[in-house]
Amino acid sequence: GAVVSQHPSWVICKSGTSVKIECRSLDFQATTMFWYRQFPKQSLMLMATSNEGSKATYEQGVEKDKFLINHASLTLSTLTVTSAHPEDSSFYICSALDTASTDTQYFGPGTRLTVL
Amino acid sequence: QKEVEQNSGPLSVPEGAIASLNCTYSDRGSQSFFWYRQYSGKSPELIMFIYSNGDKEDGRFTAQLNKASQYVSLLIRDSQPSDSATYLCAVSGGKLIFGQGTELSVKP
């Protein structure tokens, strides 16, 4: 099956710093990737849709200046949490859309962010 | 507002039984339907996708789709304790619309 990786798998940072999370599709090209956030015991929340070579589309209520998304290649999208604060601590998960075969989203393993 | 509804559970079944998970969706024009499994603290893992009315089987899993009733289900035969997880129904309309998930507990 299609494989999506994320790096890092976990990160702890101080309040006010920025954190970059990478999402890679390893065995397929993904023109579209998605970024989700999930708090404990809650549902996945879509943050933004990332399209290769164009600006990301953010969901309502998600601050685009705080969560910077770059999708510079067909296999890599990055999410940068700028000036992170403790309330940004969450589980961030990316997915990549495999349009070449089944139009299916495959999820990365997630990145657990803790802001102190 | 496109919606996907699932019973939140928890659904508890004994080991070896059939677990039946159900999902309804509001957008009659939906074409692609997915079931994901999510273990606690992990990301969702694709179990099955289905596009056509009827049944689709993969090992112990069977997905059933009825577009007229706007209903999709997942059957897990010979349930195992390792199947204990939250099962997410998702409908694709460009981006995935998820149900709230059904928590399944398989008791030994």
Side-chain angles (χ1 to χ4, degrees):
Chain A
V3 180
V4 177
S5 69
Q6 270 184 254
H7 178 80
S9 55
W10 60 270
V11 57
I12 301 173
C13 68
K14 293 182 179 179
S15 185
T17 61
S18 295
V19 175
K20 179 185 283 189
I21 302 170
E22 292 186 350
C23 177
R24 295 181 185 273
S25 56
L26 298 185
D27 51 3
F28 66 100
Q29 292 185 332
T31 56
T32 303
M33 292 184 175
F34 301 87
W35 287 95
Y36 296 83
R37 179 167 57 179
Q38 188 173 38
F39 294 104
K41 301 292 185 182
Q42 295 188 21
S43 301
L44 287 168
M45 187 196 81
L46 178 65
M47 299 175 67
T49 301
S50 168
N51 294 297
E52 187 266 337
S54 64
K55 291 183 179 180
T57 303
Y58 290 82
E59 295 299 303
Q60 191 172 6
V62 178
E63 300 174 57
K64 60 181 66 176
D65 294 331
K66 180 169 185 63
F67 299 99
L68 301 179
I69 292 172
N70 183 276
H71 193 157
S73 78
L74 289 173
T75 59
L76 174 64
S77 176
T78 60
L79 168 69
T80 301
V81 184
T82 63
S83 186
H85 288 95
E87 59 266 29
D88 298 322
S89 298
S90 187
F91 191 39
Y92 292 85
I93 310 170
C94 73
S95 70
L97 185 63
D98 183 5
T99 55
S101 57
T102 59
D103 203 24
T104 299
Q105 281 191 38
Y106 294 92
F107 285 84
T111 297
R112 194 161 302 281
L113 170 65
T114 302
V115 185
L116 301 177
Chain B
Q1 179 79 1
K2 299 177 183 177
E3 294 183 346
V4 178
E5 297 286 339
Q6 291 181 257
N7 291 328
S8 60
L11 173 65
S12 182
V13 301
E15 183 175 356
I18 296 176
S20 178
L21 305 162
N22 304 313
C23 173
T24 59
Y25 58 94
S26 63
D27 183 7
R28 188 171 288 278
S30 299
Q31 297 294 319
S32 307
F33 307 87
F34 304 86
W35 283 99
Y36 290 87
R37 174 175 62 196
Q38 187 173 25
Y39 291 111
S40 180
K42 303 293 186 181
S43 68
E45 170 192 11
L46 179 69
I47 297 176
M48 294 188 72
F49 57 85
I50 185 167
Y51 303 140
S52 304
N53 276 327
D55 295 359
K56 179 181 179 182
E57 186 175 318
D58 184 1
R60 296 186 295 112
F61 300 96
T62 299
Q64 299 175 317
L65 174 61
N66 184 325
K67 290 186 178 181
S69 299
Q70 295 174 241
Y71 175 92
V72 59
S73 66
L74 180 70
L75 300 178
I76 306 174
R77 291 181 299 281
D78 189 23
S79 296
Q80 301 296 309
S82 58
D83 295 326
S84 298
T86 297
Y87 289 79
L88 302 170
C89 172
V91 177
S92 180
K95 55 189 179 184
L96 284 176
I97 309 298
F98 284 95
Q100 66 269 43
T102 298
E103 184 181 346
L104 173 66
S105 177
V106 181
K107 303 294 186 185

